[in-house]
Amino acid sequence: MRTRFAPSPTGPLHLGHAYSAILAHDMARAAGGAFFLRLEDTDLERCKPEYEAQIFDDLRWLGLTWDGEVLYQSDHLAVYNAFLNRLVARDLTYPCKCSRKDIANATAAPQEGVAHAVYPQTCKMRNMSERSENDAIRIHMERALEVVPEVSFTETGDAHQGTYPIDPEHLIQTVGDVVIGRKDIETAAYFMASAIDDARQSITHVIRGEDLFEFTPVQVMLLSLLGLDVPVYHHHGLIRDDNGKRLAKRDDARAISKYRADGATPADIRAMVGL
Ligand code: GLU
């Protein structure tokens, strides 16, 4: 078993991160496997060195040890771009110049059960040769689904346990033509880079919060389009605040560093997240 913890250094780690990291670490160690640390630091504006330092410090304090070198995604932007270009070369993408505002204006009220607005396909007739600077790259979902090998993924988390074949209709309706190539820098979108690294690091079990469950089918689709291995996924329940809202980076009150400053022990943190 090979697991990983893949935080983005855009804020302090909170109890939800502690849960993910401890679970992934303990599952690997219990199986005699390996546990890796990857910093998803491609958002050059929001990532900060001080958050990075705090991540290492918090994880060590929790008693977690990782194998091998830490993988910094910012060192590998060209690798993700090369994978993206394989999809471009297969004519599975198109350039998009729409801003968030354009999309909001062109989209009817979000449908129930659809987590985010599905792109209204304004740029769909455009060709990659027309791409200009600051155009993002979108997947042409119908074309991609035509060529994607038949694939399913296994989920072992309590809430969604089972086998999920990729369902084209569902992907078209709920995900649509997502951005897979960024407009600010020449590289893949973060969720694609993350899936690529799971394969590059031969991660066998992706253990992470349930909020990422909805991204899984499109990550699995991209992996199989690229001929990369699909891991087993294990989405765990979210740690919520007293009002039942999931913790976000800005919930500094739940930061591990805050609990540490208040005198909590690593065992207290484990107890708080139910491990
Ligand atoms: N970097 C993502 C985050 O910090 C996690 C991605 C993943 O675990 O797949 O939310």
Side-chain angles (χ1 to χ4, degrees):
M1 180 182 272
R2 291 165 68 94
T3 68
R4 50 64 162 186
F5 177 53
S8 307
T10 55
L13 294 187
H14 55 56
L15 282 183
H17 296 106
Y19 188 23
S20 279
I22 297 171
L23 196 60
H25 172 271
D26 288 5
M27 280 172 76
R29 295 291 176 240
F35 171 69
F36 298 91
L37 179 58
R38 177 166 85 227
L39 289 189
E40 303 209 318
D41 59 347
T42 60
D43 186 336
L44 309 174
E45 258 164 46
R46 290 173 59 224
C47 292
K48 300 270 179 301
E50 57 268 31
Y51 293 136
E52 235 172 77
Q54 185 72 49
I55 288 173
F56 293 130
D57 196 52
D58 284 342
L59 294 178
R60 287 203 189 96
W61 176 80
L62 283 168
L64 307 187
T65 53
W66 49 90
D67 294 286
E69 301 275 308
V70 175
L71 191 154
Y72 290 82
Q73 286 197 321
S74 56
D75 289 340
H76 303 273
L77 299 181
V79 174
Y80 314 127
N81 203 38
F83 279 107
L84 172 66
N85 280 330
R86 289 204 213 165
L87 303 183
V88 172
R90 289 165 71 187
D91 201 19
L92 303 178
T93 62
Y94 61 89
C96 176
K97 57 179 163 47
C98 298
S99 65
R100 270 175 216 272
K101 203 167 150 227
D102 295 334
I103 296 171
N105 289 342
T107 313
Q111 296 155 258
E112 203 168 328
V114 176
H116 54 90
V118 170
Y119 178 60
Q121 312 194 348
T122 320
C123 290
K124 195 155 190 162
M125 297 311 286
R126 294 179 69 212
N127 195 289
M128 281 306 288
S129 61
E130 299 165 39
R131 184 176 183 219
S132 53
E133 217 183 320
N134 292 328
D135 278 1
I137 298 177
R138 290 186 180 273
I139 185 103
H140 190 301
M141 192 54 96
E142 288 83 0
R143 272 192 232 145
L145 288 167
E146 253 170 47
V147 298
V148 72
E150 219 165 277
V151 66
S152 60
F153 69 91
T154 302
E155 164 69 34
T156 59
D158 289 342
H160 308 277
Q161 219 171 79
T163 303
Y164 293 82
I166 293 300
D167 173 353
E169 260 333 285
H170 187 255
L171 270 176
I172 290 170
Q173 281 166 17
T174 60
V175 177
D177 295 350
V178 272
V179 168
I180 57 169
R182 286 164 57 161
K183 60 173 149 196
D184 52 342
I185 44 175
E186 288 293 302
T187 198
Y190 73 96
F191 70 92
M192 179 164 168
S194 188
I196 289 170
D197 275 343
D198 286 333
R200 293 202 315 142
Q201 295 187 289
S202 303
I203 300 301
T204 60
H205 294 72
V206 168
I207 297 159
R208 60 187 184 184
E210 197 164 64
D211 50 327
L212 295 169
F213 181 70
E214 62 172 316
F215 284 101
T216 309
V218 66
Q219 287 186 316
V220 169
M221 185 193 84
L222 291 169
L223 286 174
S224 59
L225 276 175
L226 293 167
L228 297 171
D229 284 344
V230 175
V232 169
Y233 291 87
H234 183 103
H235 291 89
H236 61 70
L238 300 178
I239 307 292
R240 297 183 182 277
D241 67 13
D242 298 337
N243 302 318
K245 268 189 63 206
R246 95 180 158 92
L247 300 183
K249 284 271 166 54
R250 58 188 172 279
D251 289 317
D252 286 5
R254 308 284 164 146
I256 298 170
S257 49
K258 174 77 168 54
Y259 288 105
R260 288 175 64 177
D262 290 349
T265 65
D268 293 333
I269 302 286
R270 281 182 177 262
M272 280 182 231
V273 300
L275 287 172

